[in-house]
């Protein structure tokens, strides 16, 4: 939960949950608050997010029959993002904006992102999207969240952060970009992968 300036580079935000219970209404309901921003909530601060992977986060409590569901399973609030994967995040009930929910100025894409469900964020020419039925369509990541051959994230990024400074290495220290010759870069890209890398 960010209220200041938060810079996130080469990072993974995964398997987080928001949501609190509440007093029973007497009709098998907790009336709990699902919370906002399962991965990152930045409603009052400045978020700079690049070369990162935001997956498998959730707002709301599965199995609760009523109460507030929460907003933005992956990201909530406002900020700028580049070369980042935000996919396969959830809210308690299906929502086309379950990956990202913008408030205030919302989320601004600086390009080269993969957003599982496009509603709520990111429609530059270099952004990629899944669909409501297949948010991770053609994302094809291994268990370490590294793009495999055929992945929409492979060689589709730009190795520069939100402040346009180079990001020369991935999470393990391997150089960015790493070119797969059989894969053409995105227009204006540099053959780096979208996401946190290795």
């Amino acid at each position: 939960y960010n209220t200041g300036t938060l810079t996130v580079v080469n990072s993974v935000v995964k398997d987080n949950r928001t949501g609190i219970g509440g007093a029973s209404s007497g009709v098998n309901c907790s009336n709990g608050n699902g919370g906002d921003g399962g991965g990152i909530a930045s409603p009052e601060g400045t978020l700079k997010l690049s070369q990162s992977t935001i997956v498998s986060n959730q707002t709301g409590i599965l199995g609760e029959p009523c109460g507030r569901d929460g907003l933005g399973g992956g990201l909530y609030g406002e900020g700028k993002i580049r070369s980042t994967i935000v996919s396969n995040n959830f809210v308690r009930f299906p929502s086309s904006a379950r990956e990202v929910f913008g408030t205030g100025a919302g989320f601004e894409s600086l390009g080269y992102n993969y957003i599982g469900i496009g509603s709520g964020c990111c429609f530059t020419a270099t952004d990629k999207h899944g669909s409501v039925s297949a948010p991770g369509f053609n994302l094809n990541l291994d268990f370490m969240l590294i793009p495999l051959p055929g992945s929409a994230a492979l060689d589709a990024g730009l190795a520069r952060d939100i402040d346009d400074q180079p990001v020369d290495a991935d999470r393990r220290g391997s150089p960015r970009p790493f070119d797969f010759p059989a894969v053409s870069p995105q227009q204006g890209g540099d053959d780096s992968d979208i996401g946190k890398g290795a």
Side-chain angles (χ1 to χ4, degrees):
Y1 190 93
N2 176 45
T3 58
T5 297
L6 176 63
T7 301
V8 181
V9 181
N10 279 342
S11 297
V12 174
V13 178
K14 183 176 184 288
D15 295 329
N16 297 286
R17 304 285 183 268
T18 64
I20 57 174
S24 172
S25 67
V27 194
N28 195 29
C29 290
S30 70
N31 291 323
N33 185 336
D36 298 320
I40 298 175
S42 185
E44 304 167 15
T46 301
L47 175 63
K48 299 177 178 183
L49 178 63
S50 63
Q51 288 78 33
S52 293
T53 301
I54 315 296
V55 293
S56 301
N57 302 288
Q58 177 181 314
T59 67
I61 306 167
L62 287 174
E64 290 293 331
C66 57
R68 182 176 172 276
D69 292 331
L71 301 168
L75 300 173
Y76 172 85
E78 55 187 276
K80 296 181 179 183
I81 62 176
R82 173 183 274 165
S83 289
T84 289
I85 294 169
V86 185
S87 186
N88 294 298
N89 298 287
F90 301 94
V91 295
R92 183 170 70 107
F93 285 114
S95 167
S96 61
R98 71 188 195 190
E99 311 288 7
V100 179
F101 188 91
T103 61
F107 285 92
E108 177 185 357
S109 170
L110 300 187
Y112 309 96
N113 300 295
Y114 182 98
I115 308 297
I117 297 175
S119 296
C121 179
C122 308
F123 292 98
T124 72
T126 57
D127 289 327
K128 294 178 176 285
H129 299 281
S131 65
V132 172
S133 60
F137 175 73
N138 209 22
L139 193 51
N140 198 18
L141 305 177
D142 71 10
F143 73 100
M144 295 287 293
L145 304 177
I146 299 169
L148 295 169
S151 173
L154 197 67
D155 282 8
L158 180 66
R160 301 190 77 81
D161 69 11
I162 296 304
D163 296 315
D164 216 30
Q165 298 302 305
V167 180
D168 296 326
D170 67 13
R171 202 170 135 94
R172 68 179 175 186
S174 295
R176 281 185 190 265
F178 181 86
D179 182 23
F180 283 82
V183 179
S184 299
Q186 291 240 51
Q187 182 177 359
D190 61 6
D191 282 314
S192 62
D193 296 341
I194 300 174
K196 57 92 177 177

